Amino acid sequence: GGMEGDGDGTARGDSKPIYQMSSEPVKTGEEEDECLFCEFAQLFEFESATWKGRGKGNLRINRNLKDHRARLVMKGHNGLHLLLNANLWDGINFSKMEGTTHGLTFACVNHVRPSGQAKKEEAEKEEGKELTTYAVRFREKNAGEQLASFIECTKDCLAELKRENKKEEAGEGEAIPTEAAAAQEQV
């Protein structure tokens, strides 16, 4: 038994495809961002006293065109799975990753939400999430240039963040929250 057809996914006499693709553009959440840095890297998370690989993909520093807030965004190699979404904040510190010449470690709040019913409890716990230590390791080829470019870009973003916060203190604009304040906003 089964449906008779000509092997192309359509039933005989029916010219409509079985699957209909949406013609609407996919929203990524980055529509109002400009990309300041983009390099292929591997992401690690420090968990249970060891580094755990979280995936490979393009690590980007994006800055919002309206409020100039900058964030680290990393999607898996296929571009579909979000691995890292973390605000650059005034207290963020990048250090050389031990054991390699082409990696950096940093602490941040990763705002990537677990998906699915099985991870509902995990998502609820994340609302009060504290800083977690991450590392990125770039390809060995041109690693020095990649690290220098990444550090320079983050310094520029953090300098702009400080200028914006000074404007707020002087009553000239809206403050960009620190990462701790941003974590509180998530609740």
Side-chain angles (χ1 to χ4, degrees), residues 54-66:
R54 294 297 180 224
K56 295 178 182 180
N58 285 324
L59 174 67
R60 293 190 306 277
I61 298 176
N62 287 355
R63 182 172 50 202
N64 185 281
L65 296 170
K66 290 182 181 177

Side-chain angles (χ1 to χ4, degrees), residues 32-126:
E32 295 180 1
D33 290 353
E34 66 177 323
C35 183
L36 305 175
F37 174 89
C38 182
E39 288 290 340
F40 189 81
Q42 185 170 6
L43 180 70
F44 298 89
E45 181 178 357
F46 196 71
E47 184 180 283
S48 303
T50 187
W51 290 107
K52 308 251 180 175
R54 294 297 180 224
K56 295 178 182 180
N58 285 324
L59 174 67
R60 293 190 306 277
I61 298 176
N62 287 355
R63 182 172 50 202
N64 185 281
L65 296 170
K66 290 182 181 177
D67 63 17
H68 302 286
R69 293 179 190 189
R71 61 190 175 123
L72 297 173
V73 177
M74 186 171 184
K75 291 185 179 175
H77 192 54
N78 62 10
L80 301 175
H81 183 72
L82 188 61
L83 302 172
L84 180 67
N85 182 15
N87 296 325
L88 282 180
W89 53 289
D90 199 19
I92 198 165
N93 185 26
F94 295 93
S95 303
K96 184 178 172 186
M97 185 178 183
E98 289 184 29
T100 181
T101 59
H102 50 282
L104 294 170
T105 63
F106 56 96
C108 67
V109 175
N110 189 355
H111 297 286
V112 174
R113 297 269 185 216
S115 59
Q117 288 292 78
K119 296 192 177 181
K120 185 177 180 185
E121 287 179 27
E122 203 173 315
E124 288 170 357
K125 280 194 268 182
E126 186 175 354

Side-chain angles (χ1 to χ4, degrees), residues 167-180:
K167 282 183 187 178
E168 169 58 28
E169 289 172 8
E172 300 172 15
E174 184 178 325
I176 297 173
T178 64
E179 188 65 3

